C-alpha cells in the first residue's frame, strides 16, 4: 500500500519545475474555450497552468485568488502550446500571463468527500463549504496490470431481480448499461446506489455518481432522492452539467475514477457510475476539433477508443498484497434508435465485461426494467453470484429467451397446443415477477426467495397478469412470516436442504392463504 502512494506522489513530483525557477508564458490567442500560449517551452501534456491577470506577483500570491482560473495543456506544438480553459473563458484575453503549476492535472481527494457534490476539479458545488483533509491526486494514471489484480468473484448486488439473477455484476467488473434515451438507464444506476443500503456496513461500497452533460435540475433531483433515502452517507456526486465547458465534461469521468481509486487503495470497495460516456465523447470531439486535431469516423478523433479504454481499465479488483480493494464501473451509453453498431457503442461494448441492453419496445409495453435478455450478458457470469442466487436463477434466462421466441411466433398462430400455452403462461408469469418499480431495490435474500418461488411453480395458481401483484403480496408475507428464513439466507448466502424445506413450508402457506 505504501509503495502505491509513493508512486503517485512521485508521478506528481516528477513534473515540478526547477526549484526557484518560475516559468511563465503569454496568451497569443483565445477562442471557443481554447488558449494558444507562447513561452512555455518545458510544459508537459495534461499539465495544469494558471491564468493570471497580474504580472507583478508570485505564483503563491496568484494561487490565493478567490477563484483562480486554470487551464489544461492538451497540445504540444512547435511554436507553442494549446490549453483548454477550465472555467469562464471570457476572462482570458490576449497578452494575459500564464504560469506553470508544475503538476499534472490533479484533484483533491479525501474521505471527507463522502456526502458531497463536487465539480471535476474537486471543488464543492453544494454550498457546504470546503472539503477537509484533502490530498492531491492526478486524475489520469496508468491502470493496474494483470499481476496486481485478483479474480472478480464477489457480487455487487443491484437490488434489481432481473440483473442480479440473469446478468450479475461482480466487484471490480465493468458492466455497460446501454439503450435509447428515456428507457431507464439512470434508474438502474441510482437503484444500485440505493440498494447498497441493504449491504452490511463493513462491506458497503463507496458510490460515486458522475453526471456528464446532464441538466442541473436532473442532477439536483437525483441528489435529493439519494439524501431522502439516506444514501448520500456513502455517495459522492461529481457533476459537469450541460452548461459547463466541454473540458469539464471530458474530465468528469476521470475525476470520478481518481476518487474511486482513493478508496480502492485503502482496501475498500468502490462503485463509479459514468452517466453518460456518449456525452463525454461528444465533449472530447468538440475539444479535439477546436485543438485542430484531425477528425476521423463520425468526426471523432482517432484516440476516442483510447479515451474510454484508459478510463474503464482503471476498474479493478486488487489482490490481497495491495489491500484487496475494488472499483466497479457502470458506464452508461445512449444509443439512437437502438443502434448498437454505431461507433461509440461498439467501442465501449468491446472494452467492458458485458452489457445490460434496454429495449424501447419492452419499456413501452410496461416491462420495467426493460432488459433484453437475448443481448444482455455478463462475462463474469455466475462467478459473481452467491450460491443462493446461483441455485435459484439457473433456468430463468433460458426460459425467458424461449418465451420471447414463442411470443413472436404466437402472433401468427391462433390455436396453440396445451404444452405451448403452458410455456407461454409460465413465461408471462416470470416476466411479471421480474418487474420492479423505480427506487425500490430488493435486498439479496428477498430476491432469492421470490425467484425461488417463481422457478418452483408457487405462482402457477395465479393468472399470468396477476403474478406481479402476487409477488408483492409474497414480499409482505415473507417479511411478516418468513423473517427467520430470510435471515438465514442473508447470513449463509446459500439455500441448504434445511433452509429450502423451511422456505417451501412458508411458500405453501402463502399459496393456501391466497387461495382462500
Amino acid at each position: 500500500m505504501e509503495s502505491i502512494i509513493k508512486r503517485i506522489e512521485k508521478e506528481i513530483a516528477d513534473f515540478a519545475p526547477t526549484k526557484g525557477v518560475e516559468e511563465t508564458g503569454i496568451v497569443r490567442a483565445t477562442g471557443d474555450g481554447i488558449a494558444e500560449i507562447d513561452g512555455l517551452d518545458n510544459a508537459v501534456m495534461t499539465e495544469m497552468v494558471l491564468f493570471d491577470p497580474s504580472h507583478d506577483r508570485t505564483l503563491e500570491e496568484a494561487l490565493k485568488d478567490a477563484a483562480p482560473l486554470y487551464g489544461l495543456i492538451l497540445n504540444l506544438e512547435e511554436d507553442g502550446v494549446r490549453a483548454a480553459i477550465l472555467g469562464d473563458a471570457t476572462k482570458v484575453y490576449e497578452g494575459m500571463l500564464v504560469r506553470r503549476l508544475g503538476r499534472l492535472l490533479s484533484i483533491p481527494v479525501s474521505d471527507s468527500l463522502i456526502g458531497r457534490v463536487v465539480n471535476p476539479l474537486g471543488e464543492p458545488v453544494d454550498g457546504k463549504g470546503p472539503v477537509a483533509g484533502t490530498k492531491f491526486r492526478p486524475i489520469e494514471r496508468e491502470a493496474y496490470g494483470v499481476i496486481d489484480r485478483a479474480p472478480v468473484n464477489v457480487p455487487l448486488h443491484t437490488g434489481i431481480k432481473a440483473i442480479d439473477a440473469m446478468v450479475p455484476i461482480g466487484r471490480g467488473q465493468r458492466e455497460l448499461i446501454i439503450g435509447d434515451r428515456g428507457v431507464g438507464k439512470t434508474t438502474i444506476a441510482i437503484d444500485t446506489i440505493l440498494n447498497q443500503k441493504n449491504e452490511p456496513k463493513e462491506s458497503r461500497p463507496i458510490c460515486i455518481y458522475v453526471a456528464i452533460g446532464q441538466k442541473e435540475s436532473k442532477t439536483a433531483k437525483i441528489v435529493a432522492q439519494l439524501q431522502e433515502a439516506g444514501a448520500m452517507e456513502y455517495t459522492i456526486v461529481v457533476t459537469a452539467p450541460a452548461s459547463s465547458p466541454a473540458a469539464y465534461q471530458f474530465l468528469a469521468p476521470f475525476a470520478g475514477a481518481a476518487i474511486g481509486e482513493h478508496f480502492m487503495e485503502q482496501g475498500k470497495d468502490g462503485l463509479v457510475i459514468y452517466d453518460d460516456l456518449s456525452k463525454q465523447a461528444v465533449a472530447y470531439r468538440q475539444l479535439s476539433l477546436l485543438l485542430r486535431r484531425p477528425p476521423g469516423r463520425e468526426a471523432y478523433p482517432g484516440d476516442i477508443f483510447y479515451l474510454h479504454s484508459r478510463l474503464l481499465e482503471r476498474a479493478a479488483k486488487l489482490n490481497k498484497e495491495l489491500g484487496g480493494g475494488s472499483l466497479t464501473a457502470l458506464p452508461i451509453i445512449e444509443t439512437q434508435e437502438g443502434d448498437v453498431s454505431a461507433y461509440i457503442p461498439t467501442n465501449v461494448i468491446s472494452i467492458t465485461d458485458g452489457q445490460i441492453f434496454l429495449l424501447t419496445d419492452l419499456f413501452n409495453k410496461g416491462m420495467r426494467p426493460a432488459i433484453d435478455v437475448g443481448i444482455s450478458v455478463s462475462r463474469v457470469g455466475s462467478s459473481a453470484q452467491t450460491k443462493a442466487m446461483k441455485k435459484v436463477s439457473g433456468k430463468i434466462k433460458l426460459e425467458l429467451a424461449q418465451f420471447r421466441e414463442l411470443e413472436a411466433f404466437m402472433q401468427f398462430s391462433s390455436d396453440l397446443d396445451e404444452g405451448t400455452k403452458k410455456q407461454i403462461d409460465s413465461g408471462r408469469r416470470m416476466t411479471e415477477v421480474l418487474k420492479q418499480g423505480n427506487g425500490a431495490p430488493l435486498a439479496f435474500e428477498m430476491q432469492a426467495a421470490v425467484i425461488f418461488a417463481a422457478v418452483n411453480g408457487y405462482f402457477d395458481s395465479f393468472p399470468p397478469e396477476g403474478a406481479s401483484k402476487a409477488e408483492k403480496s409474497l414480499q409482505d408475507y415473507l417479511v411478516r412470516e418468513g423473517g427467520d428464513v430470510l435471515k438465514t439466507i442473508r447470513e449463509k448466502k446459500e439455500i441448504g436442504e434445511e433452509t429450502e424445506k423451511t422456505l417451501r413450508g412458508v411458500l405453501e402457506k402463502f399459496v393456501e392463504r391466497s387461495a382462500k
Side-chain angles (χ1 to χ4, degrees):
M1 187 65 69
E2 186 83 18
S3 62
I4 297 169
I5 295 162
K6 279 184 179 172
R7 194 172 85 191
I8 292 166
E9 286 172 349
K10 186 176 181 297
E11 280 175 18
I12 298 171
D14 279 350
F15 295 99
T18 310
K19 201 171 182 183
V21 177
E22 187 181 301
E23 192 175 336
T24 59
I26 296 290
V27 175
R28 182 175 70 222
T30 179
D32 298 315
I34 303 294
E36 295 176 32
I37 304 164
D38 283 339
L40 298 182
D41 295 339
N42 297 317
V44 297
M45 194 69 169
T46 72
E47 184 184 353
M48 285 181 84
V49 292
L50 178 73
F51 294 99
D52 186 4
S54 175
H55 287 235
D56 55 355
R57 58 181 179 175
T58 64
L59 176 60
E60 286 69 28
E61 288 169 337
L63 286 168
K64 287 176 184 172
D65 281 351
L69 184 57
Y70 296 109
L72 174 66
I73 292 176
L74 290 174
N75 265 29
L76 303 175
E77 297 167 358
E78 282 183 24
D79 57 344
V81 299
R82 289 179 199 254
I85 301 164
L86 303 176
D88 187 356
T90 59
K91 292 180 180 176
V92 178
Y93 51 85
E94 286 179 34
M96 191 176 192
L97 191 72
V98 185
R99 301 177 186 272
R100 279 186 72 193
L101 291 186
R103 68 167 189 249
L104 298 179
L105 179 61
S106 309
I107 62 162
V109 296
S110 79
D111 291 7
S112 309
L113 280 171
I114 297 171
R116 303 299 300 271
V117 183
V118 297
N119 68 15
L121 298 183
E123 300 163 344
V125 292
D126 52 8
K128 294 180 182 176
V131 177
T134 56
K135 189 174 181 180
F136 279 91
R137 179 187 190 97
I139 70 164
E140 282 262 34
R141 57 157 298 182
E142 193 179 333
Y144 283 96
V146 175
I147 304 301
D148 297 328
R149 299 180 184 233
V152 174
N153 52 21
V154 179
L156 181 108
H157 293 125
T158 64
I160 299 165
K161 289 169 287 189
I163 294 174
D164 290 345
M166 295 186 289
V167 276
I169 299 168
R171 298 191 183 201
Q173 190 176 341
R174 303 155 299 175
E175 183 78 12
L176 171 64
I177 302 170
I178 186 169
D180 285 1
R181 188 175 181 177
V183 292
K185 300 186 297 296
T186 302
T187 301
I188 286 176
I190 298 304
D191 282 357
T192 303
I193 294 176
L194 295 176
N195 185 60
Q196 303 317 308
K197 194 117 180 129
N198 294 322
E199 295 292 305
K201 203 165 187 178
E202 62 278 2
S203 62
R204 185 181 292 164
I206 303 298
C207 302
I208 301 124
Y209 176 74
V210 184
I212 310 154
Q214 306 290 345
K215 288 188 288 188
E216 288 182 73
S217 58
K218 180 185 174 182
T219 307
K221 192 177 173 185
I222 286 168
V223 172
Q225 183 186 358
L226 294 172
Q227 280 172 337
E228 195 179 321
M232 278 305 282
E233 65 188 42
Y234 54 84
T235 303
I236 301 159
V237 176
V238 179
T239 178
S243 58
S244 65
Y248 271 35
Q249 295 177 46
F250 151 59
L251 292 172
F254 292 102
I259 293 168
E261 284 175 336
H262 166 73
F263 294 101
M264 174 174 74
E265 287 169 3
Q266 292 178 37
K268 298 177 183 175
D269 292 315
L271 165 67
V272 61
I273 291 154
Y274 305 116
D275 190 9
D276 63 68
L277 292 187
S278 307
K279 292 186 176 69
Q280 188 213 12
V282 168
Y284 188 59
R285 172 169 62 185
Q286 183 182 330
L287 270 178
S288 298
L289 292 172
L290 291 170
L291 288 163
R292 303 286 186 270
R293 293 179 182 175
R297 178 178 165 188
E298 294 177 27
Y300 287 104
D303 65 338
I304 193 78
F305 182 90
Y306 179 52
L307 172 78
H308 287 149
S309 65
R310 73 179 189 261
L311 169 70
L312 294 169
E313 279 296 328
R314 288 164 72 175
K317 173 88 167 73
L318 297 183
N319 60 33
K320 286 182 181 175
E321 289 75 29
L322 292 174
S326 73
L327 182 62
T328 309
L330 293 182
I332 294 174
I333 287 287
E334 186 179 300
T335 54
Q336 307 292 328
E337 296 291 322
D339 182 15
V340 290
S341 65
Y343 190 26
I344 302 302
T346 48
N347 276 356
V348 183
I349 285 170
S350 64
I351 296 163
T352 49
D353 308 310
Q355 67 275 345
I356 296 164
F357 186 53
L358 304 179
L359 265 183
T360 308
D361 289 351
L362 288 175
F363 186 85
N364 293 337
K365 283 179 186 175
M367 181 66 193
R368 312 286 164 85
I371 296 174
D372 182 340
V373 184
I375 299 179
S376 299
V377 65
S378 169
R379 295 189 187 105
V380 172
S382 58
S383 299
Q385 279 181 316
T386 57
K387 286 182 180 177
M389 190 59 82
K390 211 182 288 188
K391 180 173 182 174
V392 301
S393 64
K395 306 173 188 172
I396 296 182
K397 197 164 186 180
L398 180 63
E399 192 174 318
L400 280 179
Q402 288 174 339
F403 162 63
R404 294 270 152 82
E405 288 287 327
L406 283 171
E407 196 179 31
F409 170 73
M410 191 181 70
Q411 295 172 15
F412 307 102
S413 178
S414 52
D415 52 329
L416 299 169
D417 63 86
E418 198 58 40
T420 307
K421 190 173 182 300
K422 194 175 177 183
Q423 197 172 349
I424 286 169
D425 284 348
S426 175
R428 280 180 178 159
R429 277 191 202 92
M430 188 65 74
T431 303
E432 289 294 317
V433 167
L434 290 176
K435 282 185 182 178
Q436 208 161 330
N438 293 1
L442 282 182
F444 144 74
E445 62 274 11
M446 181 64 82
Q447 289 186 60
V450 165
I451 293 168
F452 180 89
V455 296
N456 285 288
Y458 288 100
F459 289 112
D460 288 0
S461 56
F462 300 95
E465 60 277 6
S468 186
K469 194 176 175 183
E471 185 255 344
K472 286 179 178 63
S473 303
L474 174 61
Q475 285 183 36
D476 296 337
Y477 185 78
L478 284 166
V479 170
R480 288 196 317 271
E481 308 291 332
D484 291 342
V485 75
L486 290 177
K487 188 182 175 186
T488 306
I489 296 171
R490 181 171 64 247
E491 289 172 356
K492 293 188 176 177
K493 293 186 169 48
E494 63 177 322
I495 300 175
E497 282 184 30
E498 199 59 42
T499 310
E500 183 176 336
K501 193 177 174 183
T502 313
L503 180 57
R504 283 185 183 276
V506 173
L507 293 173
E508 280 160 14
K509 283 178 185 173
F510 166 73
V511 173
E512 283 170 23
R513 186 170 292 192
S514 303
K516 290 177 184 176

